[in-house]
């Protein structure tokens, strides 16, 4: 007897449809799974056999062949357990074929028949809707996550027997629906705020500019100057995440299995801060079974690299492709996977190995060769991709003891959001979304400057030896500063402030 159950699997962060074909024929008892199954899929036969028997159904003592089509793509994960079990029960006449054909099914089975959650239910629900299904059967714990997809009924099930009874028409499983507006309202608050930070007003200004234009930023300062504290609050001033961006980001977290229990959507722009011992596969993605890395988990958010020179040099160098292309391609002999990686890079570093070069209260113990070697750990091509360089000196005790409140994140966020709206309108006919992504063509069109600004910029190039790429960075930053002020043209004051944010172009003598 032949039966067919439709399921899904993840490739990258998107899903594709998989036909689970089950054929039961007379012969010696056997259970074979074909269609390029990896280890977890092959082991499903033991889970399926125990789950069917312990749920009160007879497991056939015949030859069972399971085919996972398309057969030329490697199948991974445990989500085929429930479809295989339903296929066997359909082939033995327990479930009508017409009933099971109406749904796309996914779920892992425990030995007692419980349906356990799987990774990637959100992209699978999207695929089910795109394939024309009106409903999808998912594990109970994945119900809320899958229900954010509009236009399809999500039926969460807890056990194999409950699923069988539903398909036989003996009970009804109510569809779960997510209230998107309520989810965003409930999760809209932040735990941190820039109002908690005393001093460092010039650094907050640089972070505001970076957030407004999507610019990458690096902070240089001694230990304890507040670099990490400032960086962790950057997400609070970024524009609110849109529903489309939330879906894209949640797909990445869903595939990796990092959604918290009961969490339907990522409603805040992610902030990822990996340790400096991370490998290149951990940062970019990959591995024996490829999975997204930190740059993809930071999609539409912030990737913060603290103690930047302590990262392995080859790990930092692999950042260059995602910074330029906003995506990561993991190539293997049989296939290539692409993960999204549109993020803001924020880095922090000490000015020297001891951390106190240029500090007025602590003597630096480092020689200039040591400082040069320390700085050389960050290559020129990577540094060229960081728009804003800002010094973060130690905060005087008098400022720390002040009672006057600092400007809250909500006020800064309003200005940033207005500036992003201006850029969204400016680039409405382009494939870019913020000033940091402008090409030379966009710079010529949107960053025209007058004679006074030109003379100022030429003087800075001569004095500091700015490269052509740094020249373009200055114009991009100036355009963002003008957007924050609501100015239609880039003026000399905008150019002057933008030049201040290229400290590392001036060499060790001025950077501290």
């Amino acid at each position: 007897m032949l039966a067919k159950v439709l399921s899904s699997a993840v490739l990258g962060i998107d899903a594709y449809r998989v036909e689970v074909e089950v054929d039961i024929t007379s012969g010696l008892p056997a259970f074979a799974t074909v269609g390029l199954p990896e280890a977890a899929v092959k082991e499903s036969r033991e889970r399926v056999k125990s789950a069917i028997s312990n749920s009160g159904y007879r497991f056939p003592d015949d030859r069972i062949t399971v085919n996972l089509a398309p057969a030329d793509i490697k199948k991974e994960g445990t989500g085929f357990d429930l479809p295989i079990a339903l296929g066997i029960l359909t082939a033995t006449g327990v479930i009508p074929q017409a009933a099971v054909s109406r749904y796309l099914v996914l779920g892992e089975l425990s030995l007692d028949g419980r349906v356990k959650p799987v990774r990637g239910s959100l992209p699978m629900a999207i695929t089910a809707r795109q394939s024309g299904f009106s409903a999808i059967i998912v594990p109970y714990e994945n119900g809320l996550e899958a229900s954010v997809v509009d236009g399809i009924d999500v039926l969460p099930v807890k056990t194999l027997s409950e699923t069988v009874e539903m398909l036989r028409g003996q009970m009804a499983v109510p569809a779960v629906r997510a209230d998107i507006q309520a989810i965003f309202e409930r999760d809209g608050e932040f735990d941190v705020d820039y109002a908690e930070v005393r001093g460092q007003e010039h650094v907050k200004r640089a972070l505001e500019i970076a957030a407004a234009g999507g610019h990458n930023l690096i902070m240089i300062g001694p230990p304890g100057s507040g670099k990490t504290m400032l960086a962790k609050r950057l997400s609070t001033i970024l524009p609110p995440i849109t529903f489309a961006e939330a879906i894209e980001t949640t797909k990445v977290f869903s595939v990796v299995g990092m959604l918290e229990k009961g969490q339907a959507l990522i409603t805040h722009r992610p902030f990822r801060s990996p340790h400096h011992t991370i490998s290149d596969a951990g940062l970019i993605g990959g591995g024996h079974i490829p999975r997204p890395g930190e740059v993809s988990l930071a999609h539409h958010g912030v990737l913060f690299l603290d103690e930047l020179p302590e990262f392995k040099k080859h790990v930092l160098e692999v950042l260059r492709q995602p910074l330029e292309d906003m995506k990561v391609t993991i190539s293997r002999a049989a296939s290539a996977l692409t993960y999204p990686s549109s993020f803001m890079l924020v880095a922090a570093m000490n000015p020297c190995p001891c951390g106190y070069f240029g500090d007025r209260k602590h003597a630096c113990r480092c020689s200039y060769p040591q400082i040069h070697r320390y700085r050389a750990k960050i290559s020129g091509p990577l540094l060229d991709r960081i728009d804003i360089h800002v010094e973060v000196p130690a905060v005087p005790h008098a400022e720390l003891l002040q009672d006057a409140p600092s400007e809250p994140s909500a006020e800064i966020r309003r200005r940033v959001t207005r500036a992003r709206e201006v850029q969204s309108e400016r680039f409405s006919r382009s494939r870019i979304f913020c000033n940091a992504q402008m090409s030379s063509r966009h710079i010529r069109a949107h960053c025209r400057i007058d004679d006074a600004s030109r003379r100022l910029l030429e003087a800075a190039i001569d004095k500091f030896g700015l490269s052509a790429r740094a020249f373009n960075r200055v114009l991009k930053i100036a355009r963002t500063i003008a957007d924050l002020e609501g100015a239609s043209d880039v003026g000399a004051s905008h150019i002057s402030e933008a030049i201040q944010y290229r400290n590392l172009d001036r060499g060790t003598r001025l950077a501290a």
Side-chain angles (χ1 to χ4, degrees):
M1 183 91 180
L2 178 65
K4 181 190 295 184
V5 180
L6 295 172
S7 186
S8 184
V10 172
L11 190 63
I13 65 164
D14 295 313
Y16 62 98
R17 196 171 70 172
V18 176
E19 294 182 357
V20 180
E21 299 174 319
V22 179
D23 183 47
I24 301 178
T25 58
S26 300
L28 293 174
F31 195 132
T33 304
V34 296
L36 289 184
E38 53 92 36
V41 181
K42 291 179 180 178
E43 291 172 353
S44 67
R45 60 189 177 189
E46 305 301 331
R47 294 190 296 270
V48 167
K49 182 177 181 180
S50 297
I52 289 177
S53 300
N54 292 328
S55 297
Y57 304 106
R58 187 184 73 84
F59 188 84
D61 295 326
D62 296 305
R63 180 176 181 83
I64 302 172
T65 303
V66 176
N67 179 44
L68 305 176
D72 60 340
I73 302 177
K74 189 173 183 179
K75 313 302 187 304
E76 300 167 348
T78 57
F80 296 113
D81 290 5
L82 183 57
I84 292 173
L86 294 180
I88 292 173
L89 294 175
T90 301
T92 55
V94 176
I95 302 172
Q97 177 65 67
V100 79
S101 298
R102 295 198 298 265
Y103 305 99
L104 190 143
V105 185
L106 54 117
E108 177 186 338
L109 288 174
S110 63
L111 299 184
D112 60 359
R114 286 179 294 114
V115 181
K116 303 175 72 174
V118 296
R119 297 179 180 180
S121 62
L122 174 58
M124 292 178 190
I126 294 173
T127 294
R129 183 191 62 187
Q130 293 172 344
S131 300
F133 288 91
S134 60
I136 178 173
I137 297 174
V138 302
Y140 185 82
E141 287 85 350
N142 292 127
L144 194 60
E145 173 192 341
S147 67
V148 301
V149 180
D150 192 24
I152 188 170
D153 289 334
V154 176
L155 306 178
V157 294
K158 295 181 178 179
T159 64
L160 174 61
S161 58
E162 178 186 4
T163 310
V164 173
E165 290 176 6
M166 181 196 71
L167 293 172
R168 296 178 66 179
Q170 297 173 344
M171 68 171 293
V173 174
V176 62
R177 298 189 184 280
D179 188 338
I180 304 301
Q181 184 177 351
I183 291 172
F184 274 89
E185 289 176 354
R186 183 184 69 239
D187 300 339
E189 298 297 324
F190 291 94
D191 296 329
V192 294
D193 197 285
Y194 273 122
E196 303 159 352
V197 181
R198 296 289 182 265
Q200 306 293 18
E201 296 303 322
H202 71 292
V203 187
K204 294 179 189 175
R205 169 65 174 174
L207 288 164
E208 178 181 343
I209 295 169
H215 302 286
N216 301 322
L217 176 144
I218 185 169
M219 294 179 284
I220 311 102
S225 58
K227 302 185 294 293
T228 302
M229 175 184 258
L230 288 158
K232 286 184 175 179
R233 284 155 177 78
L234 180 58
S235 295
T236 67
I237 65 172
L238 288 172
I241 193 168
T242 65
F243 178 67
E245 290 174 333
I247 287 289
E248 287 184 8
T249 305
T250 306
K251 284 168 67 176
V252 179
F253 278 74
S254 176
V255 168
V256 179
M258 291 182 60
L259 285 178
E260 298 178 5
K261 187 176 182 179
Q263 185 178 20
L265 271 178
I266 301 294
T267 54
H268 287 162
R269 295 188 181 274
F271 179 91
R272 304 295 302 176
S273 179
H275 193 260
H276 61 78
T277 57
I278 191 170
S279 65
D280 51 356
L283 186 64
I284 298 299
H288 175 63
I289 299 177
R291 55 170 278 169
E294 290 291 336
V295 297
S296 296
L297 292 168
H299 187 50
H300 293 311
V302 177
L303 177 67
F304 177 51
L305 302 183
D306 201 3
E307 305 294 345
L308 187 65
E310 301 302 326
F311 285 79
K312 299 180 181 68
K313 191 164 185 176
H314 73 276
V315 172
L316 292 179
E317 289 307 301
V318 297
L319 277 173
R320 287 157 62 176
Q321 184 212 0
L323 284 173
E324 285 290 328
D325 301 338
M326 294 182 290
K327 62 183 179 181
V328 173
T329 301
I330 308 297
S331 297
R332 294 290 184 266
S335 63
L337 301 177
T338 298
Y339 301 118
S341 62
S342 178
F343 61 92
M344 277 182 60
L345 174 64
V346 177
M349 61 178 286
N350 295 330
C352 65
C354 78
Y356 294 109
F357 175 71
D359 189 79
R360 296 179 180 180
K361 294 186 177 181
H362 298 85
C364 177
R365 303 188 302 271
C366 307
S367 64
Y368 272 88
Q370 287 177 315
I371 297 174
H372 178 74
R373 285 195 297 271
Y374 182 75
R375 298 281 183 88
K377 294 180 180 179
I378 308 169
S379 69
L382 178 60
L383 198 59
D384 267 347
R385 288 166 172 80
I386 300 177
D387 297 349
I388 297 177
H389 315 153
V390 59
E391 299 173 17
V392 188
V395 181
H397 292 159
E399 289 190 29
L400 291 175
L401 298 174
Q402 285 181 355
D403 293 330
S406 299
E407 186 177 27
S409 293
E411 291 295 327
I412 305 174
R413 193 183 203 188
R414 275 192 279 272
R415 295 195 297 268
V416 168
T417 302
R418 284 197 301 268
R420 284 289 186 105
E421 289 171 352
V422 170
Q423 294 165 48
S424 179
E425 184 177 351
R426 175 184 299 138
F427 304 125
S428 59
R429 297 184 179 181
S430 305
R431 301 178 68 179
I432 63 175
F433 308 101
C434 58
N435 290 336
Q437 298 171 359
M438 286 193 292
S439 64
S440 298
R441 176 173 59 86
H442 296 113
I443 292 173
R444 288 193 299 270
H446 304 296
C447 301
R448 295 191 181 96
I449 55 178
D450 56 23
D451 291 338
S453 301
R454 192 178 303 278
R455 287 193 296 271
L456 178 62
L457 194 50
E458 289 173 352
I461 292 172
D462 292 338
K463 182 174 181 180
F464 303 127
L466 300 181
S467 65
R469 180 171 284 177
F471 171 83
N472 285 339
R473 300 288 191 221
V474 169
L475 289 176
K476 291 181 183 181
I477 298 167
R479 178 67 267 176
T480 300
I481 296 170
D483 290 341
L484 283 168
E485 293 184 2
S488 57
D489 298 321
V490 176
S493 61
H494 309 137
I495 294 290
S496 178
E497 183 177 0
I499 292 170
Q500 298 177 34
Y501 299 124
R502 298 299 301 180
N503 285 340
L504 294 182
D505 292 326
R506 310 178 196 178
T508 303
R509 178 176 57 85
L510 292 179

